Amino acid sequence: MARSRACYEYTEAEDKSMRLGFLLIAAGLLSLLGLGCCWLRPALQERGGGGSANCTVLAVRQLGERFACTFSCGAACRGTARYPCLQVLVRTSRSSVPALLHEDERQLRTNPKCSYIPPCARDDQENSENVTYKQKYWKEKVGSQPFTCYFNQHLRPDDVMLKRTHDETVLLHCFLWPLVTFLVGVLIVVLTICAKSLAVRAEAIKKKKH
């Protein structure tokens, strides 16, 4: 019995391989649980009840209200600037009620009153110029041309998005890489156990012959 147990004891290299496999399995499971609870489930909830539609611009306007944004000019340099609020009202092919257009879900959560948040610059005038440029873009370049927009009637029935933050590719990678990590860990553990088992059998057969 002592000899049999000694045969099944793993070498230092095999022990490290087993530890690596179990570490990858644990990392894959924790990543799946973490991403599922913190990111994947909210993303699916945002997509649930939503879809795409054709949008047409009805009005483009700047409100008198200005909003604050935070700019960074170095490691220890931060400040607050302001930008005007641009609203782009559109009509969708799903509804006759005008809707407010947003860049994506992130911009909608940051400032639900406006359609565009410029890159925050220290100079308020530069922020105003960026917003004015975007206003001209929607008025002159897009105009009455239809474009694809996205909506979610359950969460934000009066708003539409120009693009989705959580598209199919991001969701696929969110699920794929933790799963690959888990499977690689399982494969390392299984191969290590199989290699050890074959080595033990080979040693037993060799002893029988002698």
Side-chain angles (χ1 to χ4, degrees):
M1 288 296 294
R3 290 182 180 179
S4 178
R5 289 179 181 176
C7 290
Y8 278 95
E9 288 182 357
Y10 291 100
T11 63
E12 184 178 353
E14 292 169 340
D15 188 57
K16 288 182 179 179
S17 179
M18 291 287 287
R19 289 181 182 179
L20 176 62
F22 286 123
L23 180 63
L24 291 176
I25 290 173
L29 288 175
L30 290 176
S31 298
L32 282 173
L33 291 174
L35 290 173
C37 295
C38 302
W39 199 91
L40 185 58
R41 188 171 65 178
L44 292 175
Q45 287 176 350
E46 285 184 1
R47 293 175 61 85
S52 61
N54 288 327
C55 283
T56 307
V57 176
L58 292 177
V60 183
R61 64 193 183 191
Q62 283 193 33
L63 301 182
E65 187 176 3
R66 286 177 170 262
F67 291 88
C69 64
T70 302
F71 64 85
S72 176
C73 50
C77 177
R78 297 176 68 87
T80 302
R82 293 190 171 273
Y83 64 92
C85 182
L86 176 66
Q87 287 190 338
V88 181
L89 298 176
V90 299
R91 178 188 292 116
T92 70
S93 57
R94 298 293 186 95
S95 175
S96 59
V97 179
L100 182 62
L101 180 68
H102 300 273
E103 291 283 323
D104 51 29
E105 290 96 341
R106 187 176 302 158
Q107 184 269 312
L108 171 60
R109 289 193 296 267
T110 303
N111 190 342
K113 287 187 176 182
C114 305
S115 298
Y116 174 67
I117 299 176
C120 193
R122 175 183 288 186
D123 186 10
D124 291 355
Q125 181 62 31
E126 184 177 348
N127 292 327
S128 298
E129 290 174 358
N130 288 334
V131 173
T132 301
Y133 174 81
K134 184 64 70 170
Q135 182 180 7
K136 289 181 179 179
Y137 168 81
W138 284 107
K139 275 187 175 181
E140 299 174 4
K141 292 189 177 181
V142 178
S144 60
Q145 298 178 10
F147 59 92
T148 303
C149 60
Y150 302 93
F151 64 93
N152 193 314
Q153 293 183 350
H154 295 331
L155 296 179
R156 305 288 301 197
D158 299 327
D159 299 278
V160 294
M161 273 69 67
L162 185 61
K163 57 185 178 181
R164 280 175 171 160
T165 305
H166 309 111
D167 57 12
E168 289 83 357
T169 304
V170 175
L171 295 177
L172 175 63
H173 285 287
C174 178
F175 176 76
L176 177 63
W177 296 115
L179 180 62
V180 169
T181 303
F182 174 79
L183 292 177
V184 169
V186 171
L187 183 62
I188 290 175
V189 171
V190 171
L191 289 178
T192 303
I193 293 175
C194 290
K196 185 62 178 178
S197 177
L198 290 175
V200 170
R201 289 183 182 181
E203 185 69 20
I205 293 173
K206 186 178 179 180
K207 288 180 178 180
K208 285 182 180 179
K209 287 183 180 181
H210 289 287

